[in-house]
Amino acid sequence: MKGRPLKLGITCYPTVGGSGILASELGEELARRGHEVHFISYEQPFRMPVGDPRVFFHPVEVNSYDLFKYPDYTLPLSVKMAEVAQAHALDVLHVHYAVPHATAALLARDMLPVDRRPRIITTLHGTDTTLLGLDPGYGPAIRHALEHSDAITTVSEFMRRETVRLLGVRRPIAVIPNFFEPHPASRLRTEVRRELGLADGEAMLLHVSNLRPLKRIDLLLETMVHLKSAVRCKLVILAGASFAPFTAEVARLGLTSSVVVRERVTEIEDYLGATDLGLFTSETESFCLSILELMSVGCPSAAFAVGGIPEVTVTGETGILVPFGDAAALAQAAQSLLADAPRRAALGRAAQTRARGRFSADAIVPQYEQIYRDVCGGAT
Ligand code: GMT
């Protein structure tokens, strides 16, 4: 390690979602590199490493008061951030997803004596810019928080451009792509496929998401209707939210026996390793960490070419991308790959090489470390 170990506060959403996963994996990697990492959130992030002596979790308690129609999280979060920053002499507060984390970090900094103030790094992940940035009730507060952070990062060139376009931010925004380091699978591929009810020779498509409207589950199911008539396959959905709102539609489309859902899975690598092809239908993605997760185990994906996805996977080389909204074309692309095992394997190998070369912890984590040291100036 260059320089002294740093003391880092990380705030993220603890639930299943790309930004929280990235933040948790970053914390794990930073601790492995000798830094002290303090997670500050309302719950322990779901992939936060446990048992590491350099990783700590500080819960934020939110009380509800009769006077408030809506409970407030920002103020208790900022108080906890200030408390932890002071007690542990944090060098940096690194917040993932701007709302409300970046605003809370500014408040926390202002509460502390000038010589005890941590630097603030805000990492933009997606809808904090593309959705909330456009909301007049949030946009100005997000812009203010970005302008007063010590550094801003985001996960793709697409997101950097969108942040400039939608929020008019004029300060430098560093693009640091997401990374993923797969842990070893805990079960054999055959065991996982058996658990999922896959017959011999039946292809497994995998979709991982939190099912929000922009993930376009309608297009995912439409793609599956086309695919089902052409290939023996099942679609496995690892859902970060309840799938119940979609079950009637699955039945109406005659897909009940072709769609297998698992909610809030933690052993992601078991499922990645059992997959033949990823399938993603989002209308926008700043990055799509799930495509990278599959690439890292040598599995290509078929998806729409939206947002930052073409920065992650290269169509025809490490996966297949088709224009947004054309479910028939997506099904056709998926079908041609499922029918051609050697080509699929070649794309998978290229995907894994790209993941290891560009999006590994060794490629990415030093970029965050450098930013931490840059904002801390000579003190580190
Ligand atoms: O912005 C969001 O929708 C939430 C966020 C999340 O927590 O899942 O997703 C974003 O961050 C991920 C990690 O950087 C990216 O992989 C996702 O593409 C991105 N989602 C969107 O841009 C819609």
Side-chain angles (χ1 to χ4, degrees):
M1 182 197 302
K2 278 190 252 148
R4 69 166 170 84
L6 298 171
K7 294 180 172 223
L8 306 162
I10 293 185
T11 289
C12 62
Y13 283 107
T15 48
V16 187
S19 60
I21 290 170
L22 190 275
S24 306
E25 307 266 336
L26 178 61
E28 177 175 349
E29 291 293 335
L30 289 164
R32 182 173 300 154
R33 285 163 170 75
H35 304 292
E36 189 175 295
V37 179
H38 296 262
F39 284 92
I40 307 165
S41 188
Y42 59 87
E43 254 169 37
Q44 187 161 305
F46 115 111
R47 283 209 212 157
M48 189 190 109
V50 282
D52 187 317
R54 282 189 286 266
V55 176
F56 303 86
F57 172 59
H58 307 274
V60 178
E61 254 186 55
V62 181
N63 296 319
S64 65
Y65 292 97
D66 292 346
L67 182 65
F68 294 170
K69 184 168 174 194
Y70 307 105
D72 168 59
Y73 177 54
T74 312
L75 291 180
L77 173 62
S78 67
V79 168
K80 183 57 80 178
M81 283 170 155
E83 225 174 85
V84 175
Q86 175 126 18
H88 298 274
L90 296 187
D91 297 295
V92 167
L93 275 172
H94 186 178
V95 299
H96 292 262
Y97 203 91
V99 183
H101 305 146
T103 304
L106 297 193
L107 273 171
R109 184 176 65 187
D110 286 353
M111 280 179 229
L112 292 166
V114 177
D115 59 340
R116 307 295 290 272
R117 291 181 175 172
R119 301 291 191 260
I120 296 172
I121 317 273
T122 300
T123 293
L124 298 167
H125 279 274
T127 48
D128 44 4
T129 294
T130 55
L131 186 67
L132 298 178
L134 284 174
D135 183 330
Y138 284 93
I142 299 170
R143 193 176 312 113
H144 175 86
L146 295 179
E147 269 157 14
H148 292 83
S149 295
D150 293 286
I152 312 167
T153 81
T154 191
V155 298
S156 61
E157 188 53 41
F158 163 79
M159 266 296 286
R160 194 193 64 73
R161 281 196 308 271
E162 286 298 272
T163 308
V164 173
R165 184 175 76 83
L166 299 172
L167 288 164
V169 174
R170 286 199 198 86
R171 304 192 43 220
I173 301 172
V175 175
I176 305 185
N178 289 329
F179 68 92
F180 185 68
E181 288 293 331
H183 295 101
S186 66
R187 285 182 294 161
L188 294 173
R189 177 181 166 94
T190 46
E191 282 177 52
V192 178
R193 290 172 73 96
R194 201 174 317 123
E195 174 228 303
L196 294 167
L198 283 144
D200 281 349
E202 197 172 26
M204 171 172 161
L205 293 135
L206 183 71
H207 175 86
V208 188
S209 83
N210 47 26
L211 312 178
R212 282 174 308 157
L214 62 80
K215 304 290 175 180
R216 296 303 300 265
I217 301 304
D218 56 334
L219 291 174
L220 180 72
L221 298 179
E222 191 184 330
T223 306
M224 201 48 203
V225 169
H226 290 289
L227 258 177
K228 198 190 119 195
S229 56
V231 203
R232 279 181 70 217
C233 62
K234 277 198 170 64
L235 171 66
V236 175
I237 300 180
L238 301 187
S242 166
F243 192 73
F246 302 98
T247 44
E249 185 61 2
V250 168
R252 194 188 69 77
L253 293 169
L255 290 174
T256 304
S257 59
S258 309
V259 173
V260 181
V261 178
R262 294 287 181 272
E263 291 175 4
R264 298 185 183 88
V265 154
T266 45
E267 310 80 23
I268 178 86
E269 285 83 358
D270 291 6
Y271 295 92
L272 299 177
T275 302
D276 296 304
L277 186 68
L279 190 61
F280 297 93
T281 45
S282 299
E283 61 189 32
T284 184
E285 283 291 340
S286 67
F287 189 93
C288 200
L289 192 56
S290 302
I291 290 183
L292 175 60
E293 290 178 336
L294 281 159
M295 287 168 68
S296 72
V297 300
C299 182
S301 290
F304 292 131
V306 296
I309 289 180
E311 296 173 51
V312 180
T313 184
V314 181
T315 191
E317 284 178 29
T318 62
I320 296 282
L321 302 179
V322 304
F324 174 70
D326 193 342
L330 188 61
Q332 175 60 46
Q335 181 195 337
S336 71
L337 276 187
L338 291 175
D340 186 347
R343 176 149 185 261
R344 206 171 66 239
L347 292 185
R349 278 193 300 276
Q352 193 170 40
T353 303
R354 185 174 167 83
R356 285 184 180 155
R358 294 179 178 234
F359 308 119
S360 64
D362 281 348
I364 301 302
V365 178
Q367 298 183 42
Y368 281 115
E369 287 178 290
Q370 189 56 52
I371 292 217
Y372 300 152
R373 295 200 190 278
D374 288 349
V375 296
C376 291
T380 58

